[in-house]
Amino acid sequence: MIRLPRKLTILWILLAAALLWPLFSWGLVHAIWSADLEACRAARGIGACWGVIVEKHRLLLFGRYPFEEQWRPLLATLLIIAVLCAACWRQRWQLRFAALAGLALLLAVALMRGDIGGLSPVPTKLWGGLPLTLLVSLGGTLLAFPLAVLLALGRRSSLPLLRSLCVAYIELIRGVPLISLLFMAAFLFPLLLPTAWRLDILPRVIVSIAAFAAAYLAEVIRGGLQAIPAGQLLAARALGMRTWQALLWIVLPQALRKALPALVNSFVGIFKDSSLISIVSLHELTGALSLALGGDADWRSFYLEGYLFIAFIYWAFCFALSRVGKGLETAR
Amino acid sequence: MLRPLLRWLPQILLLCLLALLLGWLGHNVLEHMRERGIRAGFDFLLDPAGFEIGEGLLAYDASQPMWRAFLTGSLNTLRVALPAIFLATLLGVLIGLGRLAEHPLLRRLCGALVETLRNIPLLLQLLICYFALTGLLPEASNALAPLPSVLISKSGLFLPALDCSAACTLDLPLTEGFGISGGWSLSPEFLAVLIALSLYSAVFIAEIVRGGIQSVARGQIDAARALGMRPLQVLREVVFPLALRAIVPPLGNQYLNLIKNSSLAVAVGYPELVSVANTSLNQTGRAFECIVIVMAVYLTLSLITAALVNLYNARVALRGTR
């Protein structure tokens, strides 16, 4: 803790008060909480109109998904959140849990897609809102993870050609913005694959997010690997294990456990970055807002409230996850 | 004899596999282009661009070649990224200091600010800023004037400018009918990107600054105070120079992130590199070339930034520990 000049402290606090008070009075004191257009219009500029959320929450949360079928994305979202929570609380990650989580995620995707068990099929272009955000960020991370482990191991390998390939991939991806990869998914992937393979935009976007995330996750995992003393590998080799066995059963588990807090933080980053897919016209949380308000002349003027609601959802997820990450850091 | 073979053979096989994959992808691209009648190559850079760019540092119009459009876009990226780096550093230092302040209210406020801003996607913050600037401010005809000759309205911020074409005079912005003329104008798109980018990066820089200051040994600060230095002096003469060693490397990473994040400006229509490339891509269909240009420019910018930060780091680092 440090002592700051008194004038600076007072200035800082006055500035904060000057900014926070209008926000408090606009957002809470004079706010309209019911979906009452007249009252909202009257309070414009004085109080927030949270009624717009009440009116439009289905579109905001689930996008263009068919209205009568929206119990399906709701169930899928709850499933994914349950998996996330279980993953956070679980002290020891057992194989059984991983299998169960994978099953739950597949079930969530099946629920969204339909076409089995008597559910009507819903094409991915109608998916949207919170479930899409969750699926893209989780799917991207899960796809990225194996690649990231391989890249991290490759970067530390003694084979020069392999090492330089991994370094080149990691540094190239880390040097360019995610949006250029998303443009690749939107415009270039169809050109790269044979004409016969028509890949939907959603899997293309998930693959490019995975390709992006893999480079960042690889660096985090490399940090974990570096923290494991060389003696571990040598001891395992002395016991007669092959190098790959020693890496798989001795080094990697320890390295991943060391890297876990940083991995959680990376996931928070990917979760936030998934908002970028609205730029390639997928209507996840951020993109769903223009869907909900853009075409409605009555409610169009209450964009700010909609944005703040969506910001709150992101904040809640990211804050909770980063707390979990911090907990993991101190738990050891 | 066998060992080098075992060492190199898998690597060479991997390389061959990769080359095959790339060749296959390239073949597909050429196949598609032939089908659709698109020509490949960078020759389109010499053709007239055919689209306007709203703002920029260079004189530009639609009849100029495409490479000029890309250059204007790249300069627009720098035009917003460099001031944002400056603002973010300034704010980041202030917020980082605030998080360590003895005053509990100030500490909590800064903590809340950091936790709020870093847990909301930058894109969303950018859209909120843009909406606030274009949706909530008054029309240009009755612009707000917080200071004399400083006008804020839906059409942006207008500041007095120094006009030295003939003799140096002050060019003041004036409301004229439905618009504002004269002065130095900053578009709402530019302002939204600048504000959102600076605030978002500032909270990350604040955490770096906090970590750096916490790494300064307590005794150094106590000793400085015991010598009778005032708080500001302690900060400037003792804390900052010592903290800088821990701050500079991660700060460089943040600068790299900021430059890359400036690509989100495409969402509000600020004509930076990605936005120009997007327009050009839609117009010419040269997806591959446009994406390659974008990646190449960002890689170059990243390398230059990294080199500059490393140079500076070499100057502040403890001698002999690098």
Side-chain angles (χ1 to χ4, degrees):
Chain A
M1 230 152 293
I2 48 175
R3 175 165 295 168
L4 294 179
R6 188 163 297 142
K7 274 180 203 149
L8 191 66
T9 307
I10 293 171
L11 192 76
W12 224 199
I13 289 176
L14 282 180
L15 193 71
L19 286 175
L20 283 181
W21 174 247
L23 204 64
F24 175 71
S25 115
W26 176 81
L28 290 176
V29 180
H30 293 107
I32 310 286
W33 295 90
S34 59
D36 178 355
L37 194 57
E38 290 310 309
C40 277
R41 287 225 172 103
R44 200 160 151 61
I46 310 161
C49 170
W50 300 118
V52 67
I53 314 294
V54 180
E55 174 79 16
K56 297 284 184 189
H57 69 279
R58 297 275 288 258
L59 259 172
L60 281 176
L61 287 176
F62 303 125
R64 276 185 303 181
Y65 208 89
F67 195 79
E68 317 78 54
E69 301 283 335
Q70 283 183 355
W71 60 272
R72 282 156 56 182
L74 177 66
L75 206 59
T77 311
L78 292 179
L79 257 174
I80 296 174
I81 294 177
V83 167
L84 279 177
C85 288
C88 294
W89 269 321
R90 198 89 184 185
Q91 287 298 315
R92 256 173 227 283
W93 285 30
Q94 289 158 341
L95 213 57
R96 209 169 352 137
F97 168 71
L100 214 63
L103 215 64
L105 289 180
L106 281 182
L107 190 63
V109 175
L111 263 174
M112 295 282 289
R113 263 178 66 95
D115 216 9
I116 44 163
L119 296 172
S120 57
V122 177
T124 49
K125 66 170 191 276
L126 293 182
W127 297 13
L130 185 57
L132 189 60
T133 295
L134 285 168
L135 276 177
V136 165
S137 46
L138 214 57
T141 313
L142 290 180
L143 263 184
F145 194 73
L147 181 61
V149 171
L150 289 180
L151 281 170
L153 287 174
R155 194 168 182 171
R156 282 168 57 79
S157 153
S158 62
L159 306 175
L161 219 57
L162 181 66
R163 192 175 55 229
S164 28
L165 274 178
C166 290
V167 171
Y169 180 82
I170 291 173
E171 296 304 329
L172 178 77
I173 295 288
R174 276 160 35 100
V176 299
L178 173 58
I179 206 166
S180 59
L181 291 183
L182 289 177
F183 274 128
M184 258 176 98
F187 302 110
L188 208 54
F189 272 27
L191 293 181
L192 288 174
L193 299 175
T195 330
W197 306 7
R198 285 243 171 273
L199 211 54
D200 201 51
I201 177 85
L202 183 60
R204 278 188 268 153
V205 158
I206 291 181
V207 165
S208 64
I209 286 191
F212 181 77
Y216 288 83
L217 291 179
E219 287 297 274
V220 169
I221 295 172
R222 185 168 70 109
L225 286 173
Q226 270 170 349
I228 307 301
Q232 296 281 329
L233 184 71
L234 293 177
R237 292 280 286 134
L239 285 175
M241 284 182 167
R242 311 297 301 265
T243 307
W244 66 267
Q245 284 174 321
L247 280 177
L248 190 61
W249 301 116
I250 307 292
V251 177
L252 259 182
Q254 298 184 63
L256 288 181
R257 196 164 305 150
K258 276 230 157 64
L260 200 56
L263 284 174
V264 173
N265 281 338
S266 302
F267 178 67
V268 173
I270 296 167
F271 186 79
K272 283 190 293 175
D273 281 343
S274 73
S275 63
L276 263 66
I277 66 173
S278 61
I279 295 179
V280 288
S281 57
L282 278 169
H283 299 287
E284 44 65 80
L285 264 182
T286 313
L289 183 67
S290 50
L291 212 64
L293 298 184
D296 191 333
D298 287 339
W299 294 99
R300 192 161 24 190
S301 43
F302 303 103
Y303 251 84
L304 192 58
E305 286 85 344
Y307 276 136
L308 290 176
F309 173 66
I310 290 172
F312 176 74
I313 297 181
Y314 274 112
W315 179 84
F317 270 94
C318 295
F319 184 71
L321 280 169
S322 59
R323 273 298 134 108
V324 169
K326 246 191 205 134
L328 288 171
E329 239 167 79
T330 47
R332 224 173 310 107
Chain B
M1 186 55 214
L2 200 64
R3 278 196 72 83
L5 195 69
L6 273 181
R7 204 173 137 79
W8 283 101
L9 202 62
Q11 294 191 68
I12 290 168
L13 271 179
L14 181 73
L15 207 65
C16 290
L17 223 65
L18 213 65
L20 268 179
L21 180 72
L22 286 179
W24 181 67
L25 294 176
H27 170 77
N28 285 336
V29 170
L30 290 180
E31 200 72 352
H32 276 282
M33 287 188 153
R34 223 192 37 213
E35 264 170 40
R36 297 187 197 176
I38 314 171
R39 280 173 308 136
F42 288 91
D43 54 309
F44 75 108
L45 286 176
L46 298 175
D47 299 340
F51 56 88
E52 293 289 340
I53 293 178
E55 53 190 304
L57 295 171
L58 295 176
Y60 170 84
D61 64 73
S63 65
Q64 282 183 330
M66 193 69 92
W67 66 266
R68 274 289 277 216
F70 276 99
L71 183 66
T72 310
S74 310
L75 286 177
N76 271 339
T77 295
L78 289 179
R79 174 167 166 251
V80 75
L82 293 180
I85 282 180
F86 174 75
L87 274 179
T89 313
L90 193 73
L91 276 172
V93 170
L94 285 176
I95 299 171
L97 279 175
R99 287 208 73 179
L100 291 168
E102 277 179 347
H103 197 293
L105 184 60
L106 180 58
R107 208 167 58 227
R108 302 251 160 77
L109 275 173
C110 288
L113 183 66
V114 170
E115 287 297 346
T116 310
L117 288 185
R118 76 165 177 188
N119 284 324
I120 296 173
L122 172 61
L123 180 65
L124 204 53
Q125 296 187 31
L126 179 60
L127 291 172
I128 291 176
C129 270
Y130 186 61
F131 180 79
L133 285 172
T134 54
L136 303 183
L137 288 175
E139 298 286 346
S141 48
N142 40 14
L144 298 173
L147 294 168
S149 294
V150 174
L151 300 174
I152 306 177
S153 71
K154 271 186 177 149
S155 36
L157 174 68
F158 289 78
L159 298 166
L162 206 57
D163 179 16
C164 283
S165 47
C168 278
T169 49
L170 214 50
D171 180 16
L172 299 178
L174 287 170
T175 336
E176 241 176 37
F178 291 111
I180 297 171
S181 69
W184 182 36
S185 72
L186 298 170
S187 70
E189 291 83 18
F190 173 84
L191 290 172
V193 179
L194 181 68
I195 295 171
L197 210 50
S198 323
L199 276 176
Y200 185 75
S201 309
V203 297
F204 287 93
I205 292 177
E207 288 299 276
I208 294 171
V209 169
R210 180 171 74 119
I213 291 177
Q214 274 174 336
S215 76
V216 174
R218 180 77 224 175
Q220 299 272 359
I221 301 174
D222 290 338
R225 255 199 239 160
L227 285 175
M229 285 185 166
R230 281 182 324 227
L232 202 62
Q233 262 181 319
V234 177
L235 279 180
R236 206 177 49 214
E237 308 286 338
V238 179
V239 175
F240 277 146
L242 288 171
L244 220 48
R245 286 171 195 158
I247 289 174
V248 169
L251 189 64
N253 267 336
Q254 277 312 314
Y255 289 170
L256 289 180
N257 282 344
L258 189 151
I259 293 176
K260 281 183 284 169
N261 281 338
S262 73
S263 60
L264 295 196
V266 66
V268 295
Y270 174 69
E272 45 70 68
L273 179 61
V274 174
S275 160
V276 168
N278 193 19
T279 315
S280 165
L281 192 159
N282 286 329
Q283 212 171 62
T284 62
R286 306 280 178 103
F288 180 72
E289 291 83 348
C290 287
I291 291 171
V292 164
I293 293 175
V294 169
M295 288 185 162
V297 171
Y298 276 104
L299 273 179
T300 318
L301 286 179
S302 297
L303 286 178
I304 294 174
T305 318
L308 288 178
V309 170
N310 281 344
L311 260 178
Y312 185 67
N313 192 35
R315 277 190 49 197
V316 297
L318 205 58
R319 299 276 173 268
T321 58
R322 269 207 321 127

